[in-house]
């Protein structure tokens, strides 16, 4: 088959590794507790998922419920000094523990290997800073997953998601001819915005990512009714954010790529 698509740009946690995206969310809970003795729930920690980690902490501080508890506990709003302290607490914890959540999501490696055989280039972007990604990339490489490029949240002066800059930096590194020939795959709303703002096709991941919050064991044990309920809830959020397609996990990507190829052949663009 003659391909018009040139590249797929994957997110990391919740999309290609770390089923349920537990590494970053749990560490946010731990960082708030360690830095300030402040209680944050796992669901609250998931709220801004997809942003760069500094921006994620800022967003948590602006959440009305969290901000009210912070004000009650400390008698002041969260400030930039607080954000910095939590971030500086977060990073070493994340580097230390990212290995516990580094397993590839089932089907991810098969999909990537198949894409490479078809001539696709593989890019990746992440809300993780480079310091964390150096560790995670080594662990992924040991599982035979090594994207052609990886752009981290702190790599670019323009910033990270929801802006287009990380995805567009992948376009430059991969030497892609047109952004409409790229597909962005992500489990978060900022990830959808990243792809859309870059002019790419966007594919949301419903069941392996942060919005669902399932472990792999929970996903495997869930009956079809439970999966359908979760799929419907998360898909509605991703589609409302502009996703062109929503799949359960990255293993379901090939059929979507075939459909995008047909749409491109008909002259459609993202």
């Amino acid at each position: 088959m003659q391909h018009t698509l040139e590249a797929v740009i994957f997110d990391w946690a919740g999309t290609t590794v770390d089923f349920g995206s537990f590494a970053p969310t749990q560490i946010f809970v731990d960082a708030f507790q360690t830095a300030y003795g402040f209680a944050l729930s796992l669901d609250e920690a998931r709220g801004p998922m997809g942003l760069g980690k500094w921006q994620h902490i800022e967003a948590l501080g602006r959440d009305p419920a969290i901000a009210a508890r912070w004000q009650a506990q400390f008698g002041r709003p969260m400030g930039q000094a607080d954000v910095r302290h939590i971030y500086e607490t977060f990073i070493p914890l994340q580097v230390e523990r990212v290995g516990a959540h580094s397993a590839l999501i089932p089907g991810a490696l098969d999909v990537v290997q198949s894409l490479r055989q078809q001539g696709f280039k593989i890019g990746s972007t992440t809300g993780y800073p480079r310091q964390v990604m150096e560790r995670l990339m080594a662990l992924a490489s040991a599982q035979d997953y090594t994207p052609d490029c990886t752009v981290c949240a702190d790599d670019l002066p323009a910033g990270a998601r929801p802006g287009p800059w990380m995805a567009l930096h992948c376009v430059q590194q991969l030497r892609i001819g047109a952004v409409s020939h790229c597909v962005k795959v992500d489990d978060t709303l900022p990830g959808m915005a990243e792809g859309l703002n870059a002019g790419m096709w966007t594919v949301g991941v419903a069941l392996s990512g942060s919005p669902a919050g399932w472990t792999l064991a929970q996903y495997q044990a869930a009956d079809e009714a439970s999966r359908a309920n979760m799929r419907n809830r998360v898909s509605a959020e991703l589609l409302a954010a502009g996703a062109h397609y929503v799949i359960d996990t990255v293993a379901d990507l090939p059929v979507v790529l075939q459909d995008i190829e047909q749409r491109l052949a008909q002259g459609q663009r993202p």
Side-chain angles (χ1 to χ4, degrees):
M1 179 178 179
Q2 183 65 39
H3 292 288
T4 301
L5 287 174
E6 298 180 62
V8 179
I9 299 173
F10 292 101
D11 176 48
W12 282 77
T15 300
T16 52
V17 301
D18 185 8
F19 201 106
S21 193
F22 281 93
T25 48
Q26 182 59 54
I27 303 304
F28 279 121
V29 173
D30 296 343
F32 270 77
Q33 182 63 45
T34 300
Y36 284 105
F38 184 83
L40 190 71
S41 74
L42 197 59
D43 284 343
E44 287 175 328
R46 289 186 183 280
M49 193 57 63
L51 298 176
K53 302 317 176 193
W54 183 288
Q55 293 74 24
H56 190 124
I57 296 167
E58 289 181 319
L60 289 172
R62 292 191 299 267
D63 179 271
I66 297 170
R69 295 205 311 275
W70 185 279
Q71 180 75 36
Q73 185 167 338
F74 301 110
R76 56 176 173 76
M78 184 185 296
Q80 282 298 296
D82 302 313
V83 173
R84 178 177 297 279
H85 183 46
I86 295 168
Y87 182 83
E88 291 175 348
T89 304
F90 171 90
I91 293 301
L93 289 174
Q94 187 70 88
V95 172
E96 175 188 344
R97 302 185 199 172
V98 72
H101 300 279
S102 60
L104 289 175
I105 287 171
L109 186 59
D110 289 340
V111 167
V112 169
Q113 290 177 336
S114 175
L115 291 175
R116 289 197 184 283
Q117 290 170 2
Q118 297 172 62
F120 282 83
K121 297 176 181 178
I122 307 298
S124 67
T125 68
T126 178
Y128 280 136
R130 177 64 59 175
Q131 184 178 354
V132 174
M133 279 308 300
E134 292 292 345
R135 171 67 174 149
L136 183 54
M137 286 189 294
L139 294 166
S141 179
Q143 301 171 74
D144 295 325
Y145 177 54
T146 306
D148 299 316
C149 68
T150 297
V151 185
C152 303
D154 60 348
D155 281 349
L156 306 177
R161 301 165 184 154
W165 306 291
M166 292 197 297
L168 291 178
H169 197 57
C170 282
V171 170
Q172 290 181 309
Q173 291 191 55
L174 298 175
R175 299 183 179 183
I176 302 304
V179 291
S180 61
H181 297 173
C182 297
V183 179
K184 178 65 172 62
V185 185
D186 204 296
D187 63 299
T188 67
L189 306 189
M192 294 299 94
E194 177 191 16
L196 292 169
N197 288 334
M200 300 176 178
W201 300 94
T202 58
V203 180
V205 179
L207 298 187
S208 68
S210 180
W214 274 348
T215 65
L216 178 59
Q218 288 172 325
Y219 167 76
Q220 291 172 332
D223 58 27
E224 186 46 47
S226 299
R227 290 191 184 186
N229 288 336
M230 183 66 78
R231 182 184 301 117
N232 291 339
R233 179 182 70 78
V234 178
S235 294
E237 296 174 4
L238 293 167
L239 291 169
H244 294 101
Y245 300 86
V246 178
I247 56 179
D248 284 358
T249 77
V250 69
D252 304 313
L253 183 62
V255 66
V256 167
L257 298 182
Q258 292 174 9
D259 192 69
I260 294 174
E261 291 279 13
Q262 293 174 358
R263 293 174 69 175
L264 285 168
Q266 295 166 4
Q268 297 184 42
R269 294 296 181 267

